Amino acid sequence: MDCTIQSDHNLQHDKRGWKRLDSDKKASMCRISRLSKGCHFVRYMQRIDILPIITQAGPGGISPGDLAQRLPEVSRSTLNRRLAQLSAAGEIRALGSGRMTRYASTSPLSVADIEAYFATPWQQRPVARFEEKLLATQPELDLERAERCTRIQGLAGPIDQKFLASFLIDFAWGSSVLEGGTYSALDTQALVEYGQRNKDKPVADAVLVLNHKLAAEYLWTHREPSVTNLCAMHALLTDDHGLDEVRSSDHFLPPEQRGQVREYQDVNLGASAYLPPFRPGTGYVGQALDRIIVTASKLHPVQAALHLMTRIPYLQAFPNGNKRVSRMAADAALLGAGLLPVSFAHIDKASYIRGMSVFYELGSLAVIEQVFLRGYVRSIVLASHIPIRMRGAGFDVDAVVEALLGYVMTGKRPKGAVVEAFFG
Protein backbone atom coordinates (compact mmCIF):
# COMPACT_ATOMS: atom_id res chain seq x y z
CA MET A 1 0.00 0.00 0.00
CA ASP A 2 1.46 3.36 -1.04
CA CYS A 3 2.74 5.76 1.61
CA THR A 4 1.03 9.18 1.44
CA ILE A 5 3.84 11.74 1.79
CA GLN A 6 4.52 14.92 -0.17
CA SER A 7 6.01 14.54 -3.63
CA ASP A 8 9.40 15.38 -2.14
CA HIS A 9 9.57 12.33 0.14
CA ASN A 10 12.27 13.88 2.34
CA LEU A 11 10.44 17.11 3.28
CA GLN A 12 7.67 17.94 5.69
CA HIS A 13 6.17 21.38 6.26
CA ASP A 14 5.87 22.76 9.78
CA LYS A 15 5.39 26.25 11.23
CA ARG A 16 9.02 27.19 10.58
CA GLY A 17 9.06 25.90 7.02
CA TRP A 18 10.43 22.77 5.38
CA LYS A 19 12.54 20.44 7.41
CA ARG A 20 14.31 17.28 6.25
CA LEU A 21 13.15 14.05 7.86
CA ASP A 22 15.56 11.34 8.77
CA SER A 23 14.95 7.86 7.32
CA ASP A 24 13.65 6.35 10.60
CA LYS A 25 10.89 8.94 10.98
CA LYS A 26 9.98 8.53 7.34
CA ALA A 27 9.62 4.74 7.78
CA SER A 28 7.50 5.21 10.88
CA MET A 29 5.12 7.51 9.04
CA CYS A 30 4.78 4.97 6.26
CA ARG A 31 3.93 2.19 8.72
CA ILE A 32 1.36 4.39 10.50
CA SER A 33 -0.20 5.32 7.17
CA ARG A 34 -0.40 1.68 6.07
CA LEU A 35 -1.86 0.59 9.40
CA SER A 36 -4.43 3.34 9.34
CA LYS A 37 -5.46 2.51 5.80
CA GLY A 38 -5.57 -1.22 6.59
CA CYS A 39 -7.81 -0.74 9.63
CA HIS A 40 -10.18 1.51 7.71
CA PHE A 41 -10.27 -1.05 4.86
CA VAL A 42 -11.07 -3.99 7.18
CA ARG A 43 -13.82 -2.03 8.91
CA TYR A 44 -15.18 -0.97 5.53
CA MET A 45 -15.18 -4.54 4.22
CA GLN A 46 -16.94 -5.78 7.34
CA ARG A 47 -19.68 -3.22 6.84
CA ILE A 48 -20.41 -4.67 3.38
CA ASP A 49 -22.78 -7.31 4.69
CA ILE A 50 -23.69 -9.29 1.57
CA LEU A 51 -24.22 -12.62 3.36
CA PRO A 52 -27.91 -11.96 4.18
CA ILE A 53 -28.56 -11.17 0.51
CA ILE A 54 -26.85 -14.40 -0.56
CA THR A 55 -28.73 -16.40 2.07
CA GLN A 56 -32.06 -14.91 1.02
CA ALA A 57 -31.35 -16.00 -2.56
CA GLY A 58 -31.77 -19.62 -1.43
CA PRO A 59 -29.88 -22.72 -2.60
CA GLY A 60 -29.85 -21.51 -6.22
CA GLY A 61 -27.59 -18.65 -5.16
CA ILE A 62 -27.11 -15.23 -6.69
CA SER A 63 -24.73 -13.99 -9.37
CA PRO A 64 -22.11 -11.27 -8.73
CA GLY A 65 -23.91 -9.13 -11.31
CA ASP A 66 -27.19 -9.31 -9.40
CA LEU A 67 -25.34 -8.54 -6.17
CA ALA A 68 -23.79 -5.49 -7.78
CA GLN A 69 -27.22 -4.23 -8.80
CA ARG A 70 -28.44 -4.65 -5.21
CA LEU A 71 -25.41 -2.75 -3.91
CA PRO A 72 -24.76 0.10 -6.37
CA GLU A 73 -22.63 1.98 -3.82
CA VAL A 74 -20.07 -0.86 -3.70
CA SER A 75 -17.45 -1.16 -6.45
CA ARG A 76 -17.20 -4.45 -8.32
CA SER A 77 -13.61 -5.03 -7.16
CA THR A 78 -14.62 -4.54 -3.52
CA LEU A 79 -17.58 -6.87 -3.99
CA ASN A 80 -15.31 -9.53 -5.48
CA ARG A 81 -12.92 -9.23 -2.54
CA ARG A 82 -15.81 -9.66 -0.11
CA LEU A 83 -17.02 -12.75 -2.00
CA ALA A 84 -13.49 -14.17 -1.83
CA GLN A 85 -13.38 -13.51 1.93
CA LEU A 86 -16.68 -15.28 2.56
CA SER A 87 -15.68 -18.21 0.32
CA ALA A 88 -12.38 -18.61 2.15
CA ALA A 89 -14.23 -18.55 5.48
CA GLY A 90 -16.54 -21.33 4.26
CA GLU A 91 -19.65 -19.18 4.64
CA ILE A 92 -20.57 -19.32 0.95
CA ARG A 93 -19.82 -21.65 -1.96
CA ALA A 94 -19.58 -21.06 -5.67
CA LEU A 95 -22.06 -22.76 -8.01
CA GLY A 96 -21.02 -23.09 -11.64
CA SER A 97 -18.02 -21.31 -13.13
CA GLY A 98 -17.07 -18.40 -15.33
CA ARG A 99 -19.89 -16.07 -16.26
CA MET A 100 -22.40 -18.59 -14.91
CA THR A 101 -20.96 -18.47 -11.37
CA ARG A 102 -23.43 -17.92 -8.57
CA TYR A 103 -22.84 -17.86 -4.83
CA ALA A 104 -24.97 -19.64 -2.23
CA SER A 105 -24.86 -19.79 1.55
CA THR A 106 -23.38 -22.90 3.15
CA SER A 107 -25.75 -22.67 6.11
CA PRO A 108 -28.21 -25.59 6.50
CA LEU A 109 -30.95 -25.58 3.91
CA SER A 110 -34.56 -25.44 5.01
CA VAL A 111 -37.25 -27.57 3.43
CA ALA A 112 -38.69 -24.39 1.93
CA ASP A 113 -35.29 -23.53 0.41
CA ILE A 114 -35.00 -26.95 -1.20
CA GLU A 115 -38.56 -26.99 -2.50
CA ALA A 116 -38.14 -23.51 -3.97
CA TYR A 117 -34.89 -24.52 -5.66
CA PHE A 118 -36.32 -27.66 -7.27
CA ALA A 119 -39.50 -25.84 -8.30
CA THR A 120 -37.31 -24.31 -11.00
CA PRO A 121 -36.98 -26.59 -14.07
CA TRP A 122 -33.58 -28.27 -14.16
CA GLN A 123 -32.73 -26.53 -17.46
CA GLN A 124 -33.02 -23.17 -15.69
CA ARG A 125 -31.10 -24.07 -12.54
CA PRO A 126 -27.41 -23.07 -12.35
CA VAL A 127 -25.07 -25.73 -13.73
CA ALA A 128 -23.67 -27.77 -10.83
CA ARG A 129 -20.25 -28.98 -11.90
CA PHE A 130 -18.39 -31.79 -10.17
CA GLU A 131 -16.46 -30.61 -7.10
CA GLU A 132 -13.68 -32.92 -5.94
CA LYS A 133 -13.92 -31.63 -2.37
CA LEU A 134 -17.31 -33.35 -2.05
CA LEU A 135 -15.56 -36.72 -2.32
CA ALA A 136 -13.95 -36.02 1.05
CA THR A 137 -15.51 -36.73 4.44
CA GLN A 138 -17.13 -33.32 4.80
CA PRO A 139 -20.07 -33.13 4.66
CA GLU A 140 -20.52 -36.38 6.56
CA LEU A 141 -22.80 -38.17 8.98
CA ASP A 142 -21.48 -37.44 12.47
CA LEU A 143 -19.91 -40.24 14.49
CA GLU A 144 -22.41 -40.05 17.37
CA ARG A 145 -25.43 -40.84 15.20
CA ALA A 146 -23.51 -43.50 13.30
CA GLU A 147 -22.61 -45.24 16.55
CA ARG A 148 -26.19 -45.05 17.84
CA CYS A 149 -27.30 -47.11 14.82
CA THR A 150 -25.20 -49.98 16.14
CA ARG A 151 -26.68 -49.77 19.65
CA ILE A 152 -30.24 -50.57 18.53
CA GLN A 153 -29.41 -53.98 17.05
CA GLY A 154 -29.95 -55.87 20.31
CA LEU A 155 -32.67 -58.07 18.80
CA ALA A 156 -30.71 -58.92 15.67
CA GLY A 157 -30.33 -62.62 15.07
CA PRO A 158 -27.34 -64.27 13.41
CA ILE A 159 -26.53 -63.02 9.93
CA ASP A 160 -26.63 -66.51 8.45
CA GLN A 161 -28.11 -68.42 5.51
CA LYS A 162 -31.62 -68.07 6.91
CA PHE A 163 -31.14 -64.32 7.08
CA LEU A 164 -29.73 -64.34 3.54
CA ALA A 165 -32.90 -65.95 2.15
CA SER A 166 -35.09 -63.07 3.29
CA PHE A 167 -32.45 -60.42 2.60
CA LEU A 168 -32.17 -61.48 -1.06
CA ILE A 169 -35.88 -60.90 -1.58
CA ASP A 170 -36.07 -57.62 0.31
CA PHE A 171 -32.95 -56.17 -1.27
CA ALA A 172 -33.78 -57.30 -4.81
CA TRP A 173 -37.25 -55.82 -4.49
CA GLY A 174 -36.30 -52.59 -2.71
CA SER A 175 -33.31 -51.69 -4.87
CA SER A 176 -35.17 -52.56 -8.09
CA VAL A 177 -38.07 -50.29 -7.13
CA LEU A 178 -35.62 -47.42 -6.61
CA GLU A 179 -34.49 -48.03 -10.20
CA GLY A 180 -38.04 -47.85 -11.50
CA GLY A 181 -38.79 -51.58 -11.47
CA THR A 182 -42.45 -52.59 -11.35
CA TYR A 183 -42.15 -55.88 -9.46
CA SER A 184 -43.97 -56.00 -6.11
CA ALA A 185 -42.65 -57.77 -3.03
CA LEU A 186 -44.81 -60.79 -3.88
CA ASP A 187 -43.67 -60.78 -7.53
CA THR A 188 -40.06 -60.65 -6.34
CA GLN A 189 -40.50 -63.52 -3.90
CA ALA A 190 -42.11 -65.70 -6.57
CA LEU A 191 -39.31 -64.95 -9.01
CA VAL A 192 -36.40 -65.33 -6.56
CA GLU A 193 -37.66 -68.44 -4.77
CA TYR A 194 -39.51 -70.27 -7.55
CA GLY A 195 -38.33 -68.68 -10.79
CA GLN A 196 -41.89 -67.63 -11.61
CA ARG A 197 -42.03 -64.47 -13.72
CA ASN A 198 -45.00 -62.11 -13.79
CA LYS A 199 -45.97 -62.32 -17.46
CA ASP A 200 -47.92 -59.07 -17.28
CA LYS A 201 -44.76 -57.09 -16.52
CA PRO A 202 -41.71 -56.30 -18.67
CA VAL A 203 -39.01 -58.96 -19.02
CA ALA A 204 -36.47 -56.23 -18.26
CA ASP A 205 -37.96 -55.79 -14.79
CA ALA A 206 -37.62 -59.50 -14.09
CA VAL A 207 -33.97 -59.42 -15.19
CA LEU A 208 -33.40 -56.35 -13.02
CA VAL A 209 -34.63 -58.30 -9.97
CA LEU A 210 -32.65 -61.45 -10.79
CA ASN A 211 -29.48 -59.42 -11.33
CA HIS A 212 -29.91 -57.91 -7.89
CA LYS A 213 -30.27 -61.41 -6.45
CA LEU A 214 -27.05 -62.55 -8.17
CA ALA A 215 -25.14 -59.48 -7.04
CA ALA A 216 -26.43 -59.85 -3.46
CA GLU A 217 -25.28 -63.48 -3.40
CA TYR A 218 -21.85 -62.30 -4.51
CA LEU A 219 -21.92 -59.61 -1.81
CA TRP A 220 -22.71 -62.27 0.80
CA THR A 221 -19.34 -63.95 0.23
CA HIS A 222 -17.37 -60.79 -0.64
CA ARG A 223 -18.09 -58.27 2.11
CA GLU A 224 -15.24 -55.87 1.44
CA PRO A 225 -16.09 -52.73 -0.60
CA SER A 226 -13.01 -53.01 -2.82
CA VAL A 227 -12.72 -51.90 -6.45
CA THR A 228 -12.51 -55.54 -7.52
CA ASN A 229 -15.71 -56.46 -5.70
CA LEU A 230 -17.58 -53.37 -6.87
CA CYS A 231 -16.65 -54.10 -10.49
CA ALA A 232 -17.74 -57.73 -10.12
CA MET A 233 -21.11 -56.68 -8.69
CA HIS A 234 -21.49 -54.03 -11.40
CA ALA A 235 -21.01 -56.69 -14.06
CA LEU A 236 -23.73 -58.81 -12.48
CA LEU A 237 -26.14 -55.88 -12.07
CA THR A 238 -25.85 -54.67 -15.68
CA ASP A 239 -25.87 -58.03 -17.52
CA ASP A 240 -28.61 -58.34 -20.16
CA HIS A 241 -27.96 -62.11 -20.46
CA GLY A 242 -28.09 -61.81 -24.24
CA LEU A 243 -31.85 -61.26 -24.26
CA ASP A 244 -33.10 -59.17 -27.15
CA GLU A 245 -36.13 -58.07 -25.12
CA VAL A 246 -34.02 -56.23 -22.57
CA ARG A 247 -31.09 -54.98 -24.62
CA SER A 248 -32.66 -51.58 -25.18
CA SER A 249 -33.33 -51.01 -21.47
CA ASP A 250 -31.07 -48.45 -19.80
CA HIS A 251 -30.64 -50.85 -16.85
CA PHE A 252 -28.12 -52.92 -18.79
CA LEU A 253 -24.83 -52.41 -20.62
CA PRO A 254 -22.95 -54.08 -23.49
CA PRO A 255 -20.36 -56.68 -22.41
CA GLU A 256 -17.36 -54.38 -22.89
CA GLN A 257 -18.74 -51.85 -20.37
CA ARG A 258 -19.87 -54.22 -17.64
CA GLY A 259 -17.65 -54.21 -14.58
CA GLN A 260 -15.47 -51.47 -16.06
CA VAL A 261 -14.75 -48.13 -14.42
CA ARG A 262 -15.72 -45.24 -16.68
CA GLU A 263 -12.94 -43.74 -18.79
CA TYR A 264 -14.15 -42.54 -22.19
CA GLN A 265 -17.91 -42.44 -21.60
CA ASP A 266 -19.42 -39.02 -20.95
CA VAL A 267 -22.40 -39.24 -18.58
CA ASN A 268 -25.35 -36.87 -18.42
CA LEU A 269 -27.94 -37.41 -15.72
CA GLY A 270 -31.57 -37.08 -16.74
CA ALA A 271 -33.49 -34.08 -15.39
CA SER A 272 -30.50 -32.81 -13.43
CA ALA A 273 -28.31 -29.70 -13.52
CA TYR A 274 -25.36 -31.75 -12.25
CA LEU A 275 -22.41 -32.46 -14.58
CA PRO A 276 -20.19 -35.39 -13.49
CA PRO A 277 -16.45 -35.31 -14.25
CA PHE A 278 -15.35 -36.23 -17.77
CA ARG A 279 -11.58 -36.47 -18.19
CA PRO A 280 -11.00 -39.15 -20.85
CA GLY A 281 -7.63 -40.81 -21.06
CA THR A 282 -6.44 -39.55 -17.66
CA GLY A 283 -7.57 -42.38 -15.41
CA TYR A 284 -9.12 -39.77 -13.14
CA VAL A 285 -12.38 -41.58 -12.38
CA GLY A 286 -10.59 -44.79 -11.43
CA GLN A 287 -8.19 -42.91 -9.17
CA ALA A 288 -11.06 -41.02 -7.56
CA LEU A 289 -12.93 -44.28 -6.94
CA ASP A 290 -9.83 -45.66 -5.22
CA ARG A 291 -9.77 -42.60 -2.95
CA ILE A 292 -13.46 -42.97 -2.11
CA ILE A 293 -12.91 -46.57 -1.02
CA VAL A 294 -9.78 -45.73 0.98
CA THR A 295 -11.63 -42.90 2.72
CA ALA A 296 -14.57 -45.18 3.54
CA SER A 297 -12.22 -47.79 5.02
CA LYS A 298 -11.16 -45.27 7.67
CA LEU A 299 -14.71 -44.38 8.73
CA HIS A 300 -17.17 -45.93 11.15
CA PRO A 301 -19.09 -48.65 9.20
CA VAL A 302 -22.36 -46.68 9.21
CA GLN A 303 -20.54 -43.53 8.11
CA ALA A 304 -18.79 -45.59 5.43
CA ALA A 305 -22.12 -46.93 4.18
CA LEU A 306 -23.53 -43.44 3.62
CA HIS A 307 -20.22 -42.24 2.18
CA LEU A 308 -20.15 -45.01 -0.43
CA MET A 309 -23.87 -44.68 -1.18
CA THR A 310 -23.44 -41.00 -2.06
CA ARG A 311 -19.91 -40.59 -3.45
CA ILE A 312 -19.91 -43.43 -5.99
CA PRO A 313 -22.93 -42.03 -7.88
CA TYR A 314 -21.65 -38.48 -7.42
CA LEU A 315 -18.47 -39.51 -9.23
CA GLN A 316 -20.49 -41.63 -11.70
CA ALA A 317 -17.74 -44.23 -11.48
CA PHE A 318 -19.41 -46.48 -14.07
CA PRO A 319 -21.18 -45.76 -17.37
CA ASN A 320 -24.47 -46.83 -15.75
CA GLY A 321 -25.71 -48.63 -12.64
CA ASN A 322 -23.90 -46.35 -10.19
CA LYS A 323 -26.67 -46.07 -7.60
CA ARG A 324 -27.21 -49.85 -7.67
CA VAL A 325 -23.50 -50.46 -7.06
CA SER A 326 -23.40 -47.79 -4.36
CA ARG A 327 -26.20 -49.48 -2.43
CA MET A 328 -24.34 -52.79 -2.58
CA ALA A 329 -21.15 -51.04 -1.46
CA ALA A 330 -23.02 -49.54 1.49
CA ASP A 331 -24.17 -52.98 2.58
CA ALA A 332 -20.67 -54.40 2.09
CA ALA A 333 -19.39 -51.85 4.62
CA LEU A 334 -22.10 -52.86 7.12
CA LEU A 335 -21.93 -56.63 6.62
CA GLY A 336 -18.14 -56.53 6.76
CA ALA A 337 -18.42 -55.04 10.24
CA GLY A 338 -20.95 -57.65 11.37
CA LEU A 339 -23.85 -55.18 11.29
CA LEU A 340 -27.29 -55.60 9.77
CA PRO A 341 -27.47 -54.35 6.17
CA VAL A 342 -29.96 -51.91 4.67
CA SER A 343 -32.60 -53.72 2.63
CA PHE A 344 -33.79 -50.54 0.84
CA ALA A 345 -37.20 -52.22 0.76
CA HIS A 346 -38.98 -49.43 2.60
CA ILE A 347 -37.15 -46.32 1.41
CA ASP A 348 -39.42 -43.80 -0.26
CA LYS A 349 -38.34 -43.49 -3.88
CA ALA A 350 -39.21 -39.79 -4.26
CA SER A 351 -37.32 -38.90 -1.07
CA TYR A 352 -34.31 -40.95 -2.20
CA ILE A 353 -34.18 -39.27 -5.60
CA ARG A 354 -34.61 -35.81 -4.08
CA GLY A 355 -31.93 -36.51 -1.49
CA MET A 356 -29.40 -37.55 -4.11
CA SER A 357 -30.28 -34.53 -6.24
CA VAL A 358 -29.74 -32.18 -3.30
CA PHE A 359 -26.27 -33.67 -2.82
CA TYR A 360 -25.45 -33.56 -6.54
CA GLU A 361 -26.54 -29.96 -7.11
CA LEU A 362 -26.26 -28.28 -3.70
CA GLY A 363 -23.51 -30.29 -2.03
CA SER A 364 -25.68 -31.03 1.01
CA LEU A 365 -26.23 -34.43 2.63
CA ALA A 366 -29.08 -33.10 4.77
CA VAL A 367 -31.88 -34.87 2.88
CA ILE A 368 -30.22 -38.13 1.83
CA GLU A 369 -28.78 -38.57 5.32
CA GLN A 370 -32.30 -38.50 6.75
CA VAL A 371 -33.54 -40.92 4.08
CA PHE A 372 -30.65 -43.29 4.79
CA LEU A 373 -31.03 -43.22 8.58
CA ARG A 374 -34.79 -43.74 8.43
CA GLY A 375 -34.36 -46.61 5.97
CA TYR A 376 -31.61 -48.20 8.05
CA VAL A 377 -33.58 -48.00 11.31
CA ARG A 378 -36.60 -49.59 9.60
CA SER A 379 -34.40 -52.32 8.14
CA ILE A 380 -33.03 -53.02 11.62
CA VAL A 381 -36.51 -53.27 13.13
CA LEU A 382 -37.86 -55.53 10.37
CA ALA A 383 -34.79 -57.79 10.47
CA SER A 384 -34.90 -58.18 14.26
CA HIS A 385 -36.24 -61.24 16.09
CA ILE A 386 -39.29 -59.85 17.86
CA PRO A 387 -40.26 -62.03 20.86
CA ILE A 388 -43.72 -63.64 20.67
CA ARG A 389 -44.85 -61.83 23.80
CA MET A 390 -44.09 -58.48 22.10
CA ARG A 391 -45.83 -59.47 18.89
CA GLY A 392 -48.85 -60.75 20.79
CA ALA A 393 -49.19 -57.44 22.59
CA GLY A 394 -49.57 -55.64 19.26
CA PHE A 395 -46.15 -54.68 17.87
CA ASP A 396 -46.40 -51.30 16.12
CA VAL A 397 -43.54 -51.17 13.60
CA ASP A 398 -44.04 -47.52 12.69
CA ALA A 399 -44.11 -46.38 16.32
CA VAL A 400 -40.95 -48.35 17.15
CA VAL A 401 -39.15 -46.99 14.09
CA GLU A 402 -40.01 -43.42 15.06
CA ALA A 403 -38.89 -43.95 18.65
CA LEU A 404 -35.57 -45.50 17.64
CA LEU A 405 -34.99 -42.92 14.92
CA GLY A 406 -35.54 -40.21 17.52
CA TYR A 407 -32.81 -41.81 19.64
CA VAL A 408 -30.41 -42.00 16.69
CA MET A 409 -30.96 -38.34 15.86
CA THR A 410 -30.88 -36.87 19.38
CA GLY A 411 -29.26 -39.41 21.69
CA LYS A 412 -32.29 -39.31 23.97
CA ARG A 413 -33.11 -42.90 24.86
CA PRO A 414 -36.82 -43.69 24.50
CA LYS A 415 -38.83 -45.22 27.31
CA GLY A 416 -40.91 -48.37 27.18
CA ALA A 417 -40.20 -52.08 27.37
CA VAL A 418 -40.71 -52.62 23.64
CA VAL A 419 -38.10 -50.15 22.41
CA GLU A 420 -35.78 -50.93 25.33
CA ALA A 421 -35.51 -54.49 23.99
CA PHE A 422 -33.68 -53.21 20.91
CA PHE A 423 -30.83 -51.94 23.06
CA GLY A 424 -30.02 -55.49 24.15
Side-chain angles (χ1 to χ4, degrees):
M1 201 173 292
D2 294 332
C3 181
T4 55
I5 300 180
Q6 300 288 337
S7 57
D8 183 346
H9 293 279
N10 295 320
L11 295 178
Q12 181 185 24
H13 188 268
D14 62 11
K15 292 180 180 178
R16 294 172 296 175
W18 297 98
K19 173 170 84 173
R20 187 168 299 277
L21 292 170
D22 58 38
S23 60
D24 288 344
K25 291 180 71 176
K26 174 187 173 184
S28 297
M29 288 184 65
C30 287
R31 285 194 294 271
I32 291 171
S33 176
R34 292 190 188 101
L35 180 60
S36 176
K37 286 187 174 183
C39 290
H40 285 305
F41 177 75
V42 170
R43 286 195 293 269
Y44 173 65
M45 290 293 284
Q46 289 174 341
R47 286 198 301 270
I48 305 172
D49 194 5
I50 63 174
L51 188 55
I53 300 174
I54 295 174
T55 302
Q56 290 169 9
I62 187 171
S63 69
D66 289 339
L67 270 174
Q69 290 182 359
R70 298 277 297 274
L71 299 165
E73 72 281 4
V74 180
S75 70
R76 189 60 179 267
S77 59
T78 300
L79 183 62
N80 288 340
R81 283 194 293 271
R82 185 62 177 144
L83 288 169
Q85 283 182 340
L86 292 172
S87 295
E91 294 188 70
I92 62 173
R93 63 189 291 261
L95 304 173
S97 60
R99 294 183 178 181
M100 301 299 292
T101 300
R102 301 174 72 85
Y103 291 91
S105 171
T106 56
S107 62
L109 301 172
S110 69
V111 173
D113 289 335
I114 293 170
E115 292 302 322
Y117 175 82
F118 284 100
T120 302
W122 68 269
Q123 300 94 332
Q124 298 175 28
R125 298 199 292 266
V127 174
R129 299 184 186 279
F130 170 79
E131 295 184 61
E132 188 168 338
K133 65 182 181 182
L134 291 180
L135 297 183
T137 56
Q138 293 297 329
E140 198 66 84
L141 171 66
D142 61 88
L143 182 59
E144 290 78 11
R145 284 183 288 175
E147 180 60 28
R148 288 178 204 133
C149 288
T150 69
R151 296 175 189 159
I152 59 173
Q153 303 193 21
L155 292 179
I159 303 176
D160 53 15
Q161 288 299 122
K162 183 178 179 181
F163 176 88
L164 173 62
S166 61
F167 173 70
L168 287 177
I169 295 170
D170 288 344
F171 182 81
W173 169 48
S175 187
S176 295
V177 167
L178 292 178
E179 293 298 308
T182 60
Y183 265 50
S184 66
L186 187 59
D187 290 334
T188 303
Q189 182 177 4
L191 182 62
V192 170
E193 290 187 347
Y194 307 108
Q196 182 178 330
R197 179 175 73 84
N198 186 328
K199 296 180 181 179
D200 295 328
K201 295 184 177 180
V203 175
D205 287 2
V207 175
L208 180 65
V209 167
L210 289 174
N211 283 358
H212 273 93
K213 171 184 176 289
L214 294 172
E217 288 174 335
Y218 180 93
L219 167 65
W220 195 253
T221 55
H222 301 79
R223 301 182 183 186
E224 179 189 1
S226 65
V227 172
T228 299
N229 286 339
L230 295 188
C231 286
M233 289 186 285
H234 179 266
L236 293 169
L237 288 165
T238 57
D239 190 356
D240 63 11
H241 302 277
L243 299 173
D244 292 336
E245 305 100 303
V246 306
R247 195 161 292 154
S248 60
S249 170
D250 59 6
H251 294 313
F252 313 109
L253 290 170
E256 65 273 12
Q257 292 184 14
R258 298 173 203 154
Q260 300 297 316
V261 175
R262 183 168 65 92
E263 182 64 46
Y264 293 99
Q265 299 86 6
D266 194 5
V267 175
N268 290 298
L269 304 185
S272 175
Y274 171 57
L275 292 182
F278 179 52
R279 304 173 190 180
T282 66
Y284 175 80
V285 173
Q287 294 164 14
L289 180 59
D290 286 337
R291 291 197 298 274
I292 290 171
I293 292 172
V294 169
T295 298
S297 70
K298 299 175 182 178
L299 297 173
H300 184 283
V302 179
Q303 288 179 313
L306 181 60
H307 187 83
L308 293 164
M309 195 185 87
T310 52
R311 271 46 173 213
I312 291 172
Y314 182 68
L315 176 65
Q316 289 290 296
F318 300 94
N320 199 349
N322 288 280
K323 291 196 292 294
R324 280 170 277 168
V325 171
S326 73
R327 294 191 288 271
M328 308 227 57
D331 278 340
L334 295 169
L335 286 168
L339 298 173
L340 289 172
V342 187
S343 70
F344 296 96
H346 299 279
I347 284 182
D348 180 70
K349 181 179 177 181
S351 298
Y352 176 81
I353 293 172
R354 175 57 55 85
M356 294 302 296
S357 296
V358 170
F359 182 57
Y360 290 164
E361 298 190 31
L362 302 176
S364 171
L365 279 179
V367 177
I368 195 62
E369 178 186 282
Q370 296 295 313
V371 172
F372 170 78
L373 288 175
R374 179 175 290 277
Y376 191 31
V377 170
R378 184 170 287 273
S379 290
I380 291 170
V381 172
L382 294 177
S384 295
H385 287 272
I386 311 301
I388 294 176
R389 57 180 175 78
M390 287 172 58
R391 295 202 303 267
F395 185 73
D396 188 336
V397 172
D398 291 337
V400 172
V401 168
E402 291 303 319
L404 294 176
L405 182 61
Y407 164 72
V408 169
M409 298 303 298
T410 67
K412 186 176 180 180
R413 190 157 169 161
K415 297 179 181 179
V418 173
V419 290
E420 276 291 335
F422 284 86
F423 289 89

